[in-house]
Amino acid sequence: MPICINCTYRLPTPPGLYTTYSKADDKALGKGVRLTQCPRCKGFADKYVEHDFVVLFIDLVLIRPQVYRHLLFNYLGRDDHKISPSIIRFAILLLLFDVYLTWARIEKATLSSSSLPLSPPPPLPGFASSNSSNATNDTQVLTSSSVAESGNWLATQPIILQYLFFLALCTLETISFHVPIRWLLSLRLPRPLPSLVPYYPHPSLISTALLVSSFTKLFPLLLLVWQYDLPSSASAVSWAVIINNVAALEILLECGPSFTQWA
């Protein structure tokens, strides 16, 4: 059932979000469509019906609650409470970008660590008291070289094996992120715990909200145009994903930041 993106009032199915009064006109051009007025707030129930995806993307970047309600309830929401095929394709795209970022970041870290010296410089003559410190330096260098060798082991494997390794790694990371949140929100806890951990009966919509709010993982596309520091850009993308995930859960659950920040 569609909702008003301003006051979350549930609208009756007829007329829904809009009424088409001329089949000859194009709805995308805003012709032949009359938006439904919300009976509670007296505004348009969903103005994004007439907007294109560029406007939706800009409002997602600005973390507008209205655009999240439009996507989660009116556009991607289904009566059978299953994940939309569009969001499944989007999840595969995000997973592939995550594989690329993780692969490039680990490869760069491995190359930088492999440039460490394999043996310490010789001790200065006449300084016998520095033997203990030299032994400590030997241990540290051996440890660093062993870490570099373990990282270089993956680099010596075939490219298909490397890709499958990072694909499995990112898949397990995504599953381990979604499953605890879905399980926690599906529990009916006794009072006063529901005020901290709200109950939500539709886990597929929770995953949809987390995937939609992870759209900032696509920002590394800018690396194809401008060259940035890969570790710094990956860290910035990770923080942006976390901020949007928190905002999406707050909008979906209609709760404060207490649970979402804790989760």
Side-chain angles (χ1 to χ4, degrees), residues 70-78 82 84 86-87 208 212:
H70 164 75
L71 292 174
L72 297 178
F73 297 100
N74 299 338
Y75 184 73
L76 298 174
R78 299 178 53 172
K82 294 183 179 179
S84 173
S86 301
I87 205 64
T208 301
V212 169

Side-chain angles (χ1 to χ4, degrees), residues 133-167:
S133 61
N134 289 334
T136 304
N137 292 333
D138 292 341
T139 305
Q140 293 176 352
V141 171
L142 289 176
T143 304
S144 301
S145 61
S146 62
V147 172
E149 290 176 359
S150 62
N152 290 332
W153 174 84
L154 184 61
T156 58
Q157 303 303 313
I159 192 70
I160 299 298
L161 184 60
Q162 296 183 39
Y163 184 82
L164 292 178
F165 171 80
F166 287 106
L167 180 61

